[in-house]
Amino acid sequence: MHSLSVAEMASALTEGQCTSEELAQVFLDRIARFDTQLNSLITVDPERALAQARAADARRRQGGCGPLTGIPIIHKDIFLTQDQRTTCGSRMLERFVPHFDATIVARCAAAGLVTLGKSNMDEFAMGSSNETSYFGPVRNPWDTARVPGGSSGGSAAAVAARLAPLATGSDTGGSIRQPAALCGITGLKPTYGRVSRWGMIAFASSLDQAGVFGRDARDCALLLELMAGFDPRDSTSVDRPVPAYSASLEQSLAGLRVGVPAEFFGAGLEPAVGAAVETALAALKDLGATVHPVHLPNLGLSVPTYYTLAPAEASSNLSRFDGVRYGHRCEQPANLEDLYKRSRAEGFGTEVKRRIMIGTYVLSAGYYDAYYLKAQRCRRLITEDFRRAFETVDVLVGPTAPEVAFRLGEKTDDPVKMYLSDINTIAVNLAGLPGLSLPAGFVDGLPVGMQLIGPHFSEGRLLNVAHQFQRETDWHRQLPPAFA
Ligand code: GLN
């Protein structure tokens, strides 16, 4: 049961081959059996999940159900869940229990999805390996000595090990696509504004976007179409109808113009990863696509641009965690200043502190023009590169990450090396574009991810391309042997 796609599980439920309660129990049993090895979940609540599953069964009996009613899901612990602890991977929020649901959590619940628990993540979504979590690192199910990627590493590892068929994630610079790639699953970061950010703990508000993880493109399409859409409570959410993504998956790829940016294949790319993506490109050609070389000349600016802007926004967003309004409070403060200082010193981990320091620095008088303002100009150049590329092609394709999953501890002492893990994903956030990562092969038993990037609001096209590719390949059907 656990290896089925969501679409297949939904038909098993419809045909009465199993109940939602049984389905939830299958995954809860797998979590109990396997998650001690992976640490992909921070909170699991079997009682809550089973009660939701029974409600879904009742709804199904009354005929009032949608396509995902009774399907289990895991939410990244960055999304607020009413009366359920939400930590954002930080000691700061270790005991924080929200009194409302994030919009996407509420939409999933309204559609009858069953929340199994909350997934582990890099602290405040800052990281590319899940090693910055206060709750310990997550391990990659393909090799537990390796990282699952980050920051949504818990969600990706859980779906890859089939501890849940679906999960939510957030992506500020690659946090859905890079872990999807390293764990061998499908992950989609939608266009900025496509999915509500209400109730998603803010990291860098001009880049943050909520999205989805699933085994394949169809599963992601089914989840995205019920999560996306205008939310009056998020002023950046876009009021534009949500297409039926799952209805356009079968469109032919004949005539599709695929652009291959040379910059994605430069120095730093592991040759075997490049070769896997070349093979995948040949498969797209067989499906009728034409392949064209393109250039994104300013792509090299994306990592320094991001690591100026994201910390600037984070330093402002994280000022709310002061030991008074939210979060950890130190013991017996001597006075107000001591309370602020010690609460923040104790509540935040090293990487979060590093970002707050960088952000405060680049925003300070005297440095603002030299760093922050210049980074905003670079952001515009990068956005223009994409706009120009999309004048001649429909989608861009390249490796999601320059290498396969690396070992735990391999990059923790060198933040710049760690930041380069996102070299292919970050520009997409700077330009607010949608990006999808899907499995495209293996190198030494570790999954390789291929990234598809499209113009704003082209999620339907990306899912369509991914689905057509997945009809011809079976990379997405592989299960990590130790968790089969
Ligand atoms: N790895 C990047 C960072 O550490 C991106 C994280 C994310 O997308 N949340 O900022």
Side-chain angles (χ1 to χ4, degrees):
M1 198 58 163
H2 64 270
S3 60
L4 298 182
S5 74
V6 164
E8 290 162 344
M9 279 176 205
S11 31
L13 289 171
T14 310
E15 283 156 27
Q17 289 161 8
C18 71
T19 65
S20 305
E21 191 175 1
E22 286 161 354
L23 191 60
Q25 195 60 57
V26 166
F27 287 102
L28 289 167
D29 289 347
R30 288 182 63 79
I31 290 170
R33 177 163 161 222
F34 289 122
D35 205 42
T36 45
Q37 291 170 63
L38 296 176
N39 196 29
S40 70
L41 292 155
I42 293 175
T43 301
V44 187
D45 190 340
E47 269 173 40
R48 187 180 170 115
L50 292 170
Q52 288 178 1
R54 282 190 291 271
D57 283 328
R59 206 166 140 182
R60 191 169 286 278
R61 280 194 299 275
Q62 289 154 10
C65 65
L68 297 187
T69 302
I71 302 290
I73 189 167
I74 286 169
H75 290 299
K76 184 176 182 180
D77 213 14
I78 198 168
F79 296 106
L80 304 192
T81 41
Q82 187 175 352
D83 301 327
Q84 184 171 39
R85 182 169 78 132
T86 299
T87 69
C88 217
S90 183
R91 182 181 183 198
M92 188 54 97
L93 294 176
E94 191 179 2
R95 280 183 276 278
F96 174 55
V97 179
H99 55 85
F100 64 94
D101 278 332
T103 296
I104 67 154
V105 171
R107 287 192 182 171
C108 288
L113 282 137
V114 172
T115 307
L116 300 175
K118 305 290 295 290
S119 63
N120 201 347
M121 56 181 283
D122 279 301
E123 186 177 6
F124 286 102
M126 297 174 188
S128 311
S129 67
N130 231 286
E131 292 166 295
T132 73
S133 171
Y134 174 65
F135 299 90
V138 177
R139 291 166 183 274
N140 190 315
W142 293 94
D143 176 353
T144 53
R146 292 176 188 266
V147 305
S151 66
S152 314
S155 287
V159 171
R162 303 302 284 181
L163 307 188
L166 292 171
T168 53
S170 67
D171 190 314
T172 305
S175 279
I176 290 176
R177 290 157 289 153
Q178 185 254 19
L182 271 45
C183 289
I185 60 169
T186 307
L188 171 63
K189 170 219 139 13
T191 306
Y192 184 74
R194 177 74 290 187
V195 175
S196 169
R197 296 184 297 115
W198 169 260
M200 179 169 105
I201 296 170
F203 164 10
S205 311
S206 78
L207 301 157
D208 294 343
Q209 180 58 207
V212 298
F213 289 103
R215 187 187 84 165
D216 58 29
R218 183 186 295 281
D219 290 359
C220 289
L222 289 166
L223 181 56
L224 184 66
E225 64 197 20
L226 68 84
M227 252 170 54
F230 179 60
D231 177 5
R233 287 189 284 202
D234 172 0
S235 60
T236 60
S237 109
V238 177
D239 192 357
R240 183 178 164 128
V242 179
Y245 300 118
S246 60
S248 55
L249 297 170
E250 299 303 340
Q251 205 181 319
S252 155
L253 300 193
L256 177 81
R257 297 168 304 169
V258 172
V260 181
E263 292 76 10
F264 283 153
F265 291 82
L269 175 66
E270 201 175 303
V273 170
V277 175
E278 297 284 356
T279 309
L281 277 167
L284 289 177
K285 266 195 204 165
D286 291 344
L287 286 162
T290 54
V291 174
H292 311 269
V294 296
H295 280 285
L296 301 171
N298 295 295
L299 197 79
L301 298 175
S302 61
V303 172
T305 299
Y306 173 89
Y307 280 99
T308 305
L309 297 179
E313 295 184 26
S315 70
S316 166
N317 274 327
L318 270 57
S319 65
R320 76 191 67 183
F321 302 105
D322 57 6
V324 178
R325 290 168 295 177
Y326 299 91
H328 171 79
R329 179 178 298 178
C330 68
E331 298 280 343
Q332 300 185 335
N335 52 41
L336 186 61
E337 192 174 324
D338 184 47
L339 171 98
Y340 288 152
K341 281 186 178 162
R342 281 204 290 126
S343 299
R344 286 169 69 83
E346 292 166 8
F348 291 137
T350 312
E351 184 60 28
V352 174
K353 287 177 186 157
R354 180 182 294 127
R355 307 274 179 120
I356 293 172
M357 302 275 280
I358 297 172
T360 308
Y361 181 82
V362 300
L363 287 174
S364 53
Y367 295 111
Y368 181 91
D369 288 5
Y371 295 105
Y372 183 77
L373 206 60
K374 188 170 273 177
Q376 292 290 23
R377 293 192 174 124
C378 294
R379 182 176 190 170
R380 170 52 63 98
L381 291 175
I382 294 162
T383 307
E384 282 297 303
D385 280 0
F386 281 111
R387 195 190 50 73
R388 235 172 278 120
F390 289 127
E391 282 172 359
T392 55
V393 297
D394 303 308
V395 294
L396 297 172
V397 172
T400 308
E403 52 186 4
V404 291
F406 45 94
R407 288 181 193 285
L408 282 140
E410 198 176 314
K411 300 188 185 194
T412 36
D413 295 335
D414 188 344
V416 175
K417 215 166 152 193
M418 188 70 91
Y419 296 169
L420 289 171
S421 313
D422 303 313
I423 192 150
N424 296 348
T425 50
I426 272 179
V428 175
N429 301 71
L430 291 168
L433 299 169
L436 181 153
S437 180
L438 73 163
F442 287 87
V443 171
D444 299 331
L446 297 167
V448 173
M450 171 164 77
Q451 180 175 219
L452 312 177
I453 305 167
H456 295 116
F457 298 101
S458 64
E459 288 79 8
R461 192 53 159 159
L462 300 184
L463 289 160
N464 160 233
V465 175
H467 176 70
Q468 292 301 314
F469 180 79
Q470 290 178 332
R471 284 184 51 168
E472 301 299 320
T473 55
D474 69 351
W475 307 119
H476 62 289
R477 286 202 196 86
Q478 311 298 318
L479 277 182
F483 300 90

